[in-house]
Amino acid sequence: MADLNLGPGSSSPNYVQSILDTDLYKLTMQQAVRRHFSDKPVIYKLIKRSKDRKFTRACVHAIEEAINGLEEMKLLDHELQWLKETCPYFQPDYLEYLTAFRFKPKEQIILRFVPQLEEGGGSDHEEVGNIEMEISGLWSEVILYETPIMAIVSEAYFVHVDKDWTMDGQEEFAYQKGREMFKGGVHLSELGTRRRRSYAVQDAVINGLVRADMGRPEGVKGQLTGTSNVHLAQKHKLKPVGAIAHEWTMAVGAIYGVEKANMEALELWEQVYPTHPSNEHHFALSDTYTSEAFFKVSQFSLHNIVSVESTKPLKLEQEVAQTPGLLTRWRGVRQDSGDPFKFIGLAKRGYEGMGIDPKEKYVMFSDALDTEKCLALKKACDEAEIPVVFGMGTFLTNDFKSKASGETNKPFFIVIKVDSVDGLGCVKISDNVTKSTGPKELVEETMRKFGIPLP
């Protein structure tokens, strides 16, 4: 294995260390896709949310090299054995498929550098611009690209463009964060792969969190519950954690219709991962078409939900209110957009409206968390008597200061979203509708279907 990238200025870093250097939910979804949608082609597109950030040609070349290098990745024997021992939910036929799996980036990925003229630029200035990326192929094959490519783009940017940072002290920084959160009763999973500043940073962060967890004083109830990075879970002897992502519901919505998508997605998931006492893979994402649409019960103004063609309420074949047994079996819901404090009341009333005791269900928070917000949300959930867990990413693996000014050196925010499946457009609305993704006309049609005001 090549030497790890230790910070800005390193040469030829090995951005991705293993085929398992990815989020667990990409593997669990791949197994589910193979079960239900093995013949469906998809297209993913990269969306750059950090509008002020630009790439250099050298950076884009490094990204291209690293992505092409994924074709050398394969599941190693010791990794296969570890998956068999650690992840019993992976069936033998899937592990056989994963063992034979190879990335084919030169066939499945189009990467373009789009130069931009900058004011005052001349022949002495390095050319900068944006990138466009499209990933296409069978869903069962290309589903694994998202996490490693996001990690590659982020690390390449901070190696070749923004070098005003150092990873000195990152392990201790993570240790102090973990110590404070565990003291406050926070149950925390590390989810930082996709936006990590580098592999070495994430590795150091997990070292710090493990130290904080192992050094918890007696009586401290918070703890480290695992990491979403499968490779680092194996390395640090942690539990790999993760369940389901928006792309699952988005694609199901494109195939079956958005009106049925939330419940259809959960039922299809259960066919691959039956519910059981721990329900570790059963946290439902509520915000694909907004959380109020997910909790469709009388408390949330069902009469305001109208179709495009009619002013009458949609006749949903599978409303949450009509299938309380489904959510009774699921461990809880994950909040990933919007106001997390308002979500506590929404989830509690939603469960109560279905005759489910909120004290028996978890809320997981995973959106834009930091130490202060986690502690405040833990207190609010305790007061509401609803169990809570947390998944934290960017604040752990991309929290830096500028070497020059001491000010915050911001992360690089990109997403890779499924754009279409089987030629049908995919939409995500979320509880922050300004971040909706998908074809504009389809986004607006979906919002009208659910009675969501257009921004």
Side-chain angles (χ1 to χ4, degrees):
M1 185 176 288
D3 291 339
L4 302 184
N5 170 43
L6 299 179
S10 300
S11 60
S12 302
N14 192 12
Y15 298 126
V16 179
Q17 303 297 306
S18 159
I19 196 171
L20 298 185
D21 188 5
T22 191
D23 289 315
L24 177 67
Y25 70 33
K26 300 307 295 188
L27 302 180
T28 53
M29 286 194 298
Q30 186 182 45
Q31 179 170 247
V33 168
R34 291 190 71 244
R35 169 79 69 87
H36 293 298
F37 306 109
S38 61
D39 63 340
K40 298 296 184 186
V42 298
I43 295 175
Y44 292 86
K45 291 184 178 179
L46 181 144
I47 302 169
K48 183 167 74 77
R49 289 181 173 163
S50 296
K51 303 296 185 183
D52 59 327
R53 302 295 183 93
K54 307 297 180 187
F55 297 92
T56 62
R57 280 196 179 274
C59 179
V60 177
H61 178 68
I63 291 170
E64 183 179 32
E65 276 197 331
I67 291 175
N68 286 337
L70 293 175
E71 65 187 4
E72 302 298 324
M73 292 286 177
K74 64 180 181 179
L75 190 69
L76 302 179
D77 290 343
H78 73 91
E79 294 173 324
L80 174 61
Q81 186 58 37
W82 181 82
L83 287 175
K84 289 179 178 179
E85 296 170 355
T86 309
C87 307
Y89 39 84
F90 288 136
Q91 297 301 311
D93 68 309
Y94 173 67
L95 292 177
E96 182 179 351
Y97 171 84
L98 188 62
T99 301
F101 178 85
R102 298 293 184 273
F103 289 105
K104 296 179 284 187
K106 293 172 184 175
E107 300 175 23
Q108 296 168 329
I109 298 177
I110 297 173
L111 173 65
R112 302 184 186 92
F113 177 61
V114 183
Q116 291 188 345
L117 295 175
E118 291 205 332
E119 202 172 314
S123 58
D124 294 335
H125 288 73
E126 186 171 9
E127 191 173 30
V128 299
N130 286 315
I131 61 171
E132 296 174 350
M133 186 184 299
E134 185 175 290
I135 305 166
S136 61
L138 288 177
W139 192 11
S140 58
E141 294 182 1
V142 299
I143 191 171
L144 293 190
Y145 279 116
E146 178 194 2
T147 299
I149 287 181
M150 288 182 67
I152 285 168
V153 171
S154 179
E155 183 163 356
Y157 179 83
F158 287 107
V159 168
H160 293 278
V161 182
D162 185 349
K163 305 176 185 180
D164 184 24
W165 61 279
T166 175
M167 68 169 288
D168 293 348
Q170 279 293 305
E171 181 177 331
E172 182 63 23
F173 200 17
Y175 168 78
Q176 294 299 337
K177 291 175 181 177
R179 192 166 178 266
E180 184 175 355
M181 285 187 281
F182 300 154
K183 184 178 179 181
V186 169
H187 286 231
L188 181 72
S189 294
E190 186 277 328
L191 312 180
T193 303
R194 299 185 309 147
R195 294 199 177 109
R196 69 192 184 194
R197 190 150 297 202
S198 73
Y199 172 85
V201 168
Q202 187 177 19
D203 192 41
V205 162
I206 292 178
N207 270 327
L209 293 175
V210 169
R211 282 177 47 216
D213 186 57
M214 293 181 66
R216 286 181 287 130
E218 186 175 352
V220 169
K221 296 182 179 179
Q223 61 179 311
L224 179 64
T225 53
T227 174
S228 64
N229 187 296
V230 186
H231 161 73
L232 289 171
Q234 180 184 15
K235 179 178 180 179
H236 292 275
K237 297 180 173 58
L238 295 173
K239 182 178 181 178
V241 296
I244 194 169
H246 291 103
E247 73 172 284
W248 179 254
T249 307
M250 291 168 67
V252 169
I255 295 167
Y256 292 95
V258 296
E259 300 92 338
K260 299 189 292 182
N262 280 315
M263 292 301 99
E264 191 74 37
L266 302 188
E267 291 191 345
L268 289 170
W269 191 258
E270 278 195 345
Q271 292 173 24
V272 183
Y273 303 100
T275 50
H276 51 81
S278 71
N279 282 354
E280 60 184 302
H281 300 298
H282 296 85
F283 275 93
L285 266 169
S286 63
D287 68 333
T288 306
Y289 308 112
T290 75
S291 294
E292 289 203 10
F294 182 85
F295 288 110
K296 197 165 302 301
V297 292
S298 59
Q299 291 92 334
F300 302 121
S301 303
L302 181 59
H303 63 274
N304 288 329
I305 312 256
V306 298
S307 69
V308 177
E309 298 82 10
S310 171
T311 57
K312 296 179 181 180
L314 282 171
K315 299 297 184 182
L316 305 188
E317 293 184 15
Q318 294 173 304
E319 293 177 8
V320 176
Q322 296 173 346
T323 55
L326 184 59
L327 287 188
T328 297
R329 298 192 297 272
W330 282 59
R331 191 178 186 190
V333 290
R334 177 156 73 95
Q335 189 273 345
D336 199 51
S337 64
D339 186 329
F341 294 94
K342 289 181 180 179
F343 185 84
I344 296 169
L346 177 68
K348 184 174 182 179
R349 294 191 303 273
Y351 277 126
E352 289 172 342
M354 290 179 280
I356 299 173
D357 186 354
K359 296 177 183 178
E360 297 178 356
K361 297 298 170 186
Y362 281 84
V363 169
M364 175 187 286
F365 293 102
S366 59
D367 179 42
L369 298 176
D370 57 25
T371 301
E372 183 178 355
K373 187 183 288 187
C374 283
L375 295 173
L377 286 168
K378 176 67 169 67
K379 180 180 179 182
C381 285
D382 287 348
E383 292 172 352
E385 297 185 293
I386 187 166
V388 60
V389 292
F390 298 87
M392 181 181 288
T394 308
F395 180 66
L396 291 172
T397 60
N398 211 326
D399 183 23
F400 286 83
K401 301 290 186 184
S402 162
K403 288 191 298 183
S405 68
E407 299 295 321
T408 298
N409 183 286
K410 294 180 181 180
F412 191 7
F413 290 103
I414 61 169
V415 293
I416 294 176
K417 292 294 183 185
V418 60
D419 187 71
S420 68
V421 55
D422 209 18
L424 302 168
C426 296
V427 169
K428 176 191 170 190
I429 305 301
S430 91
D431 289 332
N432 180 354
V433 296
T434 62
K435 293 185 177 180
S436 299
T437 62
K440 184 176 184 293
E441 298 80 5
L442 194 55
V443 167
E444 292 179 354
E445 177 184 329
T446 302
M447 293 176 72
R448 285 193 293 269
K449 283 185 176 182
F450 289 108
I452 303 165
L454 299 180

